Amino acid sequence: MIVALSGGVGGAKLSWGLERSLANEELAVIVNTGDDFILHGLYIAPDLDTVMYTLADLANPATGWGIANDTFHALAMLERYGQPVWFQLGDRDLAIHLARTNLLRQQRLTEVTATLAQALGVRSRILPMSDQRVETRILTPDGELAFQDYFVRRRQQDLVHGVRFQGAEQATLSPEVLAALAQARLIVFCPSNPIISIGPILAVPEMHAAIASAQARKVAVSPIIAGQAVKGPLVAMMQGLGLEPSAPGVARLYADLVDSFILDQQDAHLAPQIAALGLKVTATNTLMSDHSRRRHLAEVVLAQA
Ligand code: GDP
């Protein structure tokens, strides 16, 4: 068993590469749920959906989230009814939120996710990081914001001087997550945002402890290439938090948990700084701009085991 820790787009692309590169072994993807929220009465889990749509080859290649070639007729009608439409929900995408919300009345989020993923033909196990609610909250000069307020409604424009994960201390791990970590030969920290995608996963104390004590080898991939995030607010966010926005800056966040670190070949000159943390360092092309590059990075990751 290979276990990946993932947020949305960056983690989903590497998970796709891992799944397609594995022959006889199974992949379990532990996914951030700190971004989950309720809108229009629906339980929306953006990172779970991005991972499932990507593994099912349904994802919109332009955005990385949502379903390819979706239409937005329902959203236009919601606007006529005076409902908030700052969060884009496509017509085909809408169905998963309806189904999930309905199924959640009887089942845990882990069970609901398994049902949905199976229906989409996903062969890997998609595991929410916890069945309890953990909510990512963003501290800005305008006060504390709910995650989607910061990320989507206010378009990541606010200075971030803190992040907290409400409910993380009380959250527990599902039997499915515990089993996957116990069986893992390799745990992969995907190139997802370490603060708001991997951060909430590790903020659950049981998760941190289970990863720390797992027998598996542990490898992280840098989401920062040449001082830039491939997408999203990671660089500004790390600066706001007083962290160095670079591959070594990310490696420092994970140094107590991983044994190896993969950075982009453009950053190969920074490898000694990461090796000084006691990590084995590999430089390669980490930009997953097409399917063959996803597979390439996955193979370099799997070679760490
Ligand atoms: P989000 O929830 O969709 O924002 O998802 P993630 O946290 O998984 O993805 C955002 C992070 O992934 C950003 O920090 C990006 O720099 C990183 N990322 C996205 N695509 C790639 C890629 O192809 N290669 C690498 N190395 N990082 C990537």
Side-chain angles (χ1 to χ4, degrees), residues 21-45:
S21 303
L22 288 170
N24 301 315
E25 243 172 330
E26 212 186 341
L27 175 70
V29 190
I30 298 178
V31 182
N32 170 40
T33 57
D35 305 4
D36 294 9
F37 71 122
I38 307 281
L39 189 65
H40 312 301
L42 303 174
Y43 185 102
I44 300 178

Side-chain angles (χ1 to χ4, degrees), residues 7-11 13 35 47 151 191-193 197 222-223 225 229-231 234 286-288:
V9 177
K13 287 190 286 186
D35 305 4
D47 287 355
F151 200 79
S192 286
N193 185 313
S197 291
S222 178
I225 301 176
V230 178
K231 82 173 241 308
L234 176 57
T286 67
L287 187 64
M288 294 174 282

